[in-house]
Amino acid sequence: MKREHIEPFFTTLKAANPQPNTELEYTTVFELLAAVLLSAQATDVGVNKATRKLFPVAGTPQKILALGLDGLEGHIKTIGLYRSKARHLLETCRMLVEQHGGEVPRTREALEALPGVGRKTANVVLNVAFGEPTMAVDTHIFRVGNRTGLAPGKNPYEVEMQLMKRIPPAYLVDAHHWLILHGRYICQARKPLCWQCGVAGYCGFKDKTPRP
């Protein structure tokens, strides 16, 4: 993507969705952290279905710990990899209680020290909960960054660094939402819906799919 196309690319995405947000459902920073941890290799729809029952009865680290492993697994067993996620979430809750007074820390280092929390999850929490200009590169953003030419990279970290470098500061806080949603609903993996794409004119993808 040409540098002069980046600004109108994001201006167009912003005009279509002025206040984007995550599709995960949560009411507190801890619930957001738990939902993002559970969402690895799972859909937001599937996670929301489980957390709608989990969070009303266990929406704090202390209450998750009180459930125990069997109780937590019972609430999230519809989510892929639920056994390992349950163990990670329980240990994360234990660390939050013992090391952070039950609160979610606001630094990348402290977040990434939590079990099951990698760079992507930390970036989501820092961005969504604390409004920091971070870029959580999932499969959608990785695809959009490479396909459009906005931020080519061989791995998520390379794409993240390119995005942080190329996206104008005015768009950085919301950019990761726009790109995720664009990849999820328009710039899809198997067949991008180029004929429905409002930013196709700025995209560097040469093999654009025609209207069926």
Side-chain angles (χ1 to χ4, degrees), residues 89-110:
L89 182 53
L90 277 174
E91 188 56 33
T92 283
C93 290
R94 187 170 291 109
M95 289 180 65
L96 290 177
V97 170
E98 293 176 355
Q99 300 180 19
H100 302 285
E103 300 295 322
V104 176
R106 297 188 61 150
T107 67
R108 177 186 301 282
E109 293 74 19

Side-chain angles (χ1 to χ4, degrees), residues 5 197-203 208:
H5 288 167
C197 180
V199 292
Y202 310 117
C203 169
K208 291 184 173 64

Side-chain angles (χ1 to χ4, degrees), residues 11-27:
T11 299
T12 303
L13 293 178
K14 181 177 181 179
N17 188 1
Q19 295 182 312
N21 207 338
T22 178
E23 293 186 326
L24 290 170
E25 297 173 1
Y26 68 98
T27 59

Side-chain angles (χ1 to χ4, degrees), residues 3 6 159-169 172:
R3 183 169 295 277
I6 296 176
V159 171
E160 178 186 341
M161 293 299 102
Q162 285 282 355
L163 289 169
M164 296 299 293
K165 179 180 178 181
R166 301 196 79 199
I167 297 174
L172 268 177

